[in-house]
């Protein structure tokens, strides 16, 4: 199986690379700074990466690259306009551009797409704060749901996932689960994804997440 993972240089992305390599899959783990280079917020970078994958089937694309730049901001003075643009460029537009650029590769393999969203995307669970990140992850969830509808006829399944509150640079040391736990659960979720479950929004441990 050929697996492409964005944002693979650390945290959950690096753990997923390790797990797929250990089980013998061919893994292409990308990042903004190391080869193979892919900055999902840069359309030229996305196009250049797609050229390296020309005519190669992709069985699983994991859209993991993401940023959380408004953590701890307050409503009065935080959430500068430029941060909205930066966040959506990576967390939403970057997801779409990557999928669009690799569409023929995924169609050739009748592959799967896993979009990393968050429980913070949920409109049912809305405790406030982190407006930019929440909005971007909600948009990624909506994007995934609509892609699932459009791509089902091509045999490509799309799943959207909450990876858990994970002990990473983004999640912090006080987070609920380890990278190892998140990685194991997510690989199981991606293996289980099929056309029958396309459009799902699930937690790392296999529960349906409220929209």
């Amino acid at each position: 199986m050929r697996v492409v993972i964005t944002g693979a240089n650390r945290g959950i992305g690096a753990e997923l690379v390790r797990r797929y390599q250990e089980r013998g899959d061919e893994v292409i783990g990308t990042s903004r700074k190391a080869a193979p280079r892919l900055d999902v917020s840069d359309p030229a970078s996305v196009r250049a990466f797609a050229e390296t994958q020309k005519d190669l089937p992709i069985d699983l694309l994991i859209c993991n690259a993401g940023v959380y730049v408004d953590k701890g901001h307050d409503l009065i003075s935080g959430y500068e306009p430029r941060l909205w643009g930066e966040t959506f460029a990576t967390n939403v537009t970057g997801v779409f551009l990557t999928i669009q650029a690799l569409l023929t590769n995924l169609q050739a393999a009748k592959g799967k797409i896993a979009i990393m969203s968050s429980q913070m995307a949920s409109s049912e669970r809305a405790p406030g704060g982190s407006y930019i990140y929440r909005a971007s992850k909600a948009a990624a969830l909506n994007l995934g749901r609509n892609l699932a509808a459009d791509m089902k006829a091509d045999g490509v399944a799309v799943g959207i996932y909450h990876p858990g509150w994970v002990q990473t640079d983004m999640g912090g040391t006080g987070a609920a689960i380890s990278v190892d736990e998140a990685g194991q659960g997510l690989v199981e979720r991606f293996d289980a994804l099929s056309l029958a479950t396309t459009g799902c929004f699930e937690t790392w441990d296999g529960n349906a997440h409220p929209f």
Side-chain angles (χ1 to χ4, degrees):
M1 184 167 78
R2 293 188 76 248
V3 184
V4 173
I5 305 172
T6 67
N9 58 310
R10 62 182 181 179
I12 294 170
E15 175 65 15
L16 291 172
V17 168
R18 183 186 71 80
R19 286 182 172 273
Y20 283 112
Q21 286 178 336
E22 281 189 352
R23 76 179 200 180
D25 295 314
E26 180 184 352
V27 186
I28 303 93
T30 71
S31 70
R32 287 181 293 180
K33 296 181 179 179
R37 185 179 179 276
L38 172 58
D39 180 350
V40 301
S41 69
D42 178 0
S45 178
V46 174
R47 289 192 298 270
F49 176 76
E51 279 297 311
T52 70
Q53 300 301 302
K54 195 171 183 178
D55 300 325
L56 296 173
I58 296 174
D59 298 291
L60 175 61
L61 169 63
I62 303 173
C63 297
N64 172 70
V67 296
Y68 183 3
V69 297
D70 61 321
K71 191 173 186 177
H73 281 218
D74 68 87
L75 185 55
I76 295 174
S77 61
Y79 308 103
E80 301 97 301
R82 67 175 179 82
L83 299 181
W84 288 86
E86 290 174 10
T87 301
F88 271 72
T90 298
N91 294 0
V92 186
T93 310
V95 173
F96 177 80
L97 292 179
T98 302
I99 293 169
Q100 184 182 50
L102 299 175
L103 188 59
T104 56
N105 309 81
L106 290 157
Q107 289 169 329
K110 294 192 181 298
K112 304 178 186 182
I113 300 169
I115 296 174
M116 213 69 76
S117 183
S118 168
Q119 66 181 1
M120 294 170 76
S122 174
S123 60
E124 293 184 37
R125 298 181 181 177
S130 298
Y131 298 108
I132 301 175
Y133 185 75
R134 289 184 190 279
S136 72
K137 289 302 185 179
L141 169 59
N142 183 275
L143 174 64
R145 294 276 291 170
N146 283 282
L147 284 169
D150 282 339
M151 299 182 73
K152 189 171 185 178
D154 295 325
V156 177
V158 182
I160 309 100
Y161 302 93
H162 164 54
W165 183 23
V166 189
Q167 295 157 9
T168 61
D169 290 345
M170 185 180 291
T173 57
I177 63 171
S178 67
V179 172
D180 183 69
E181 290 173 288
Q184 179 177 340
L186 289 168
V187 169
E188 290 172 359
R189 302 285 74 71
F190 304 159
D191 284 346
L193 177 63
S194 69
L195 290 176
T197 60
T198 191
C200 63
F201 182 29
E202 294 180 342
T203 63
W204 64 279
D205 53 354
N207 294 310
H209 198 288
F211 291 101

